[in-house]
Amino acid sequence: MPSSVFLDPLWPRKKAKSPKNIILMIGDGMGVSQIYAGMVTNHGQLNLEKFPVVGFHKNQASNNFVTDSAAGAMAFSCGVKTYNGAIGVDANGEAVPSILEIAEEKGLATGIVATCSITHATPASFISHQASRSLDENIALDFLNTDIDVFIGGGRKFFGNRTDGLNLIDSLKNRSYQIANTIGEVQQIKSGKLAAFLAEEQQAKFSEGRGDELVKSTETALNILQTNKKRDVFDDRRLSD
């Protein structure tokens, strides 16, 4: 019997509704133990408890019971298991489309907000296809192969200070992206396409003074996507410190 029956007794009789938007929030390395720790720290309550349905998925790597961020992200970005370190490819090294790419193919507006380099394993698994998560410059190139509307995170050097001499920031401008390099500049963008780089590589941890960058970045991304003619939204918020 599906576990959701116990969470919602009316579940079998409810008519399924198609969602207007999909917002996928990812807490890196977060499982039930971390959620419970958060509940204890927050005096016994979290907004997560308001969700009507709880589900689980198995995200171990194809070559190891213990997953890393790349193979773990592949499990929910592409729906397949792969070897640790792989970005957007299956265990045989073949490219697999992600939910973000499928949304783009269907004409939906898409975006990624990260608190790390935008080329890091988790966000990269939604937009890139590379044999290794360490290939940051190759991953950055893959951003030019998509029509993602908004992406905000760190990793500026992989776009503008590359070992191959290419300037992908200029390439993004040529593709009608507005470029932002501070959270203040991010907040000034109200519509159109946005590529924002808030750090040369990794953004600061919250405990190290990142402040409310995630909140402001997310609000800006959602507002831009809501004004997009495509209207529908996909937003990957990596909540890792």
Side-chain angles (χ1 to χ4, degrees):
M1 182 177 293
S3 60
S4 52
V5 171
F6 297 101
L7 296 169
D8 184 353
L10 299 179
W11 174 77
R13 299 190 294 277
K14 285 184 176 179
K15 183 179 179 180
K17 295 181 179 180
S18 297
K20 292 182 178 180
N21 308 303
I22 299 173
I23 301 174
L24 178 58
M25 300 186 298
I26 304 171
D28 191 29
M30 187 178 74
V32 291
S33 298
Q34 287 75 22
I35 293 173
Y36 189 75
M39 290 175 64
V40 172
T41 303
N42 200 46
H43 309 292
Q45 291 185 325
L46 286 178
N47 283 327
L48 287 174
E49 295 178 87
K50 298 178 182 178
F51 294 169
V53 176
V54 175
F56 293 87
H57 78 285
K58 296 179 288 185
N59 63 357
Q60 69 267 24
S62 63
N63 64 337
N64 198 310
F65 186 75
V66 179
T67 187
D68 76 336
S69 293
M74 276 288 295
F76 46 74
S77 65
C78 301
V80 300
K81 288 183 172 57
T82 191
Y83 59 88
N84 279 337
I87 298 293
V89 297
D90 62 20
N92 297 316
E94 298 294 326
V96 182
S98 72
I99 186 174
L100 186 145
E101 292 171 317
I102 293 171
E104 286 181 347
E105 289 177 359
K106 294 184 177 296
L108 308 183
T110 59
I112 296 177
V113 176
T115 58
C116 58
S117 171
I118 203 69
T119 64
H120 206 271
T122 302
S125 293
F126 288 86
I127 205 163
S128 183
H129 306 278
Q130 298 294 331
S132 173
R133 61 183 291 178
S134 65
L135 301 174
D136 291 271
E137 291 191 354
N138 290 356
I139 292 170
L141 271 170
D142 281 345
F143 274 79
L144 301 180
N145 296 325
T146 73
D147 193 35
I148 186 171
D149 297 275
V150 178
F151 62 92
I152 305 171
R156 185 187 300 112
K157 75 173 190 178
F158 302 120
F159 290 79
N161 187 22
R162 298 167 54 88
T163 58
D164 58 12
L166 294 176
N167 190 327
L168 302 189
I169 293 178
D170 285 344
S171 298
L172 288 168
K173 291 178 181 178
N174 292 335
R175 287 166 169 78
S176 301
Y177 283 92
Q178 302 161 93
I179 307 298
N181 292 296
T182 67
I183 192 61
E185 292 177 359
V186 166
Q187 290 184 287
Q188 293 176 17
I189 307 300
K190 306 300 181 182
S191 62
K193 300 174 77 170
L194 171 61
F197 303 101
L198 302 182
E200 281 298 307
E201 191 167 352
Q202 305 300 336
Q203 292 168 256
K205 297 178 181 179
F206 183 81
S207 60
E208 295 174 350
R210 189 179 68 231
D212 57 359
E213 276 189 359
L214 176 59
V215 173
K216 293 177 178 177
S217 295
T218 301
E219 289 176 344
T220 297
L222 291 176
N223 288 336
I224 291 174
L225 291 170
Q226 289 286 10
T227 63
N228 192 296
K229 291 181 179 179
K230 306 175 193 176
R231 296 292 304 194
D232 295 77
V233 178
F234 177 88
D235 170 31
D236 162 26
R237 283 184 259 180
R238 179 184 171 91
L239 305 182
S240 165
D241 279 343

